[in-house]
């Protein structure tokens, strides 16, 4: 059994140790998707994820997939692509556009977890300097890939990425991640292991270590935001 959260009360989540083993990491349902609820959730390593037709579900899966400054790497082939690409990578120029791109149906998926409520609320965090977008533009100046995420302190919570051009999301991540770590970010939370991010030095952490690093990272002053052209 999981707790049902009352959307009319201040955000309060169950202890993360109560997350289910099956489905792995499911912690609670209900609640509200306001910036206050999102802030409270991410500070505890909790995030929303559900089909738009379902009740709101909150997750904290373990082990947690993360990339650290000391584990991050760019494979030689991808580094070569970044050097030779005609794509332009920017930061924080079209947050809503990136979210809309991530919301679009994909060939390998039946639907999307990004619903209208998410589209309405995450840009509010971006406007407050609490979320970032990385955009990839093609030769015609059209948005063709990128990713977005939330930031608290020195932690970046990666949310979703998309590509409409071969290699766009790889180029975007390989261009932005080194700069994010140079600015002082201490961890990129990727939530769950994927083969796409595994090549960039993704590792898995158990709950105690992840939550220790999370607590330390969110308590620190946020780095200066990325802006403009990155490559």
């Amino acid at each position: 059994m999981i707790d049902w959260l009352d959307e009319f009360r201040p955000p309060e989540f169950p202890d993360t140790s109560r997350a289910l083993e099956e489905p792995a990491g499911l912690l609670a349902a209900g609640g509200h998707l306001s910036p206050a609820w999102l802030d409270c959730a991410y500070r505890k390593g909790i995030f929303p994820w559900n089909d738009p037709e379902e009740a709101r579900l909150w997750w904290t899966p373990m082990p947690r997939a993360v990339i650290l400054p000391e584990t991050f790497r760019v494979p030689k082939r991808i580094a070569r692509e970044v050097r030779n690409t005609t794509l332009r990578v920017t930061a924080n120029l079209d947050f809503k556009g990136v979210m809309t791109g991530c919301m679009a149906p994909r060939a390998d998926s039946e639907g999307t977890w990004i619903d209208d409520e998410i589209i309405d609320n995450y840009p509010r965090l971006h406007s407050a300097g609490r979320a970032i977008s990385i955009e990839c533009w093609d030769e015609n100046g059209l948005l063709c890939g990128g990713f977005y995420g939330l930031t608290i302190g020195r932690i970046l919570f990666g949310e979703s990425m998309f590509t409409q051009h071969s290699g766009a999301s790889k180029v975007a991540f390989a261009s932005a991640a080194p700069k994010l770590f140079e600015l002082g970010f201490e961890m990129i939370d990727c939530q769950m292991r994927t083969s796409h991010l595994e090549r960039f030095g993704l590792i898995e952490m158990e709950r105690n270590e992840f939550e220790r690093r999370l607590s330390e990272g969110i308590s620190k002053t946020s780095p200066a935001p990325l802006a403009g052209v990155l490559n």
Side-chain angles (χ1 to χ4, degrees):
M1 294 286 291
I2 58 173
D3 289 0
W4 181 267
L5 307 178
D6 186 346
E7 65 178 300
F8 299 108
R9 300 184 64 182
E12 185 175 351
F13 290 90
D15 190 275
T16 55
S17 65
R18 293 175 55 190
L20 300 182
E21 293 185 7
E22 185 59 41
L26 180 59
L27 180 67
H32 189 46
L33 209 70
S34 68
W37 275 79
L38 291 170
D39 181 76
C40 179
Y42 282 88
R43 285 177 179 275
K44 297 175 181 294
I46 302 165
F47 58 88
W49 183 41
N50 53 271
D51 290 336
E53 296 79 16
E54 295 178 336
R56 182 68 60 202
L57 300 177
W58 300 89
W59 302 77
T60 175
M62 292 295 155
R64 195 64 162 247
V66 303
I67 299 176
L68 306 175
E70 60 267 31
T71 69
F72 174 70
R73 63 177 183 270
V74 178
K76 291 182 179 179
R77 183 176 61 81
I78 296 178
R80 190 162 53 247
E81 288 183 45
V82 172
R83 288 194 301 271
N84 298 329
T85 188
T86 58
L87 301 175
R88 183 169 58 101
V89 181
T90 62
N92 292 313
L93 294 188
D94 192 358
F95 187 86
K96 193 78 173 277
V98 171
M99 287 202 71
T100 302
C102 293
M103 186 182 187
R106 307 182 187 198
D108 59 350
S109 176
E110 294 181 359
T112 178
W113 61 272
I114 301 174
D115 57 23
D116 291 339
E117 200 175 4
I118 287 176
I119 287 285
D120 288 342
N121 281 282
Y122 281 69
R124 295 170 62 188
L125 289 167
H126 180 255
S127 297
R130 297 287 303 282
I132 69 167
S133 62
I134 304 297
E135 304 88 13
C136 207
W137 310 86
D138 67 16
E139 297 88 338
N140 298 314
L142 299 176
L143 185 65
C144 65
F147 66 93
Y148 76 96
L150 274 61
T151 63
I152 303 178
R154 300 290 175 106
I155 309 297
L156 169 61
F157 302 88
E159 280 299 295
S160 188
M161 56 175 52
F162 82 104
T163 184
Q164 295 173 348
H165 183 292
S166 178
S169 62
K170 289 185 296 183
V171 169
F173 191 81
S175 299
K179 292 179 170 55
L180 291 166
F181 287 130
E182 287 170 12
L183 285 173
F185 280 95
E186 297 177 355
M187 183 166 68
I188 298 177
D189 174 23
C190 304
Q191 299 175 350
M192 291 172 282
R193 178 182 289 274
T194 67
S195 57
H196 178 69
L197 290 174
E198 197 168 30
R199 71 190 87 181
F200 291 104
L202 180 148
I203 62 171
E204 291 185 317
M205 282 185 184
E206 295 304 324
R207 186 174 300 282
N208 286 346
E209 177 66 6
F210 171 76
E211 292 185 352
R212 181 187 69 78
R213 287 179 178 260
L214 175 64
S215 178
E216 291 177 356
I218 65 174
S219 69
K220 298 176 181 177
T221 302
S222 296
L226 281 178
V229 179
L230 302 184
N231 65 341

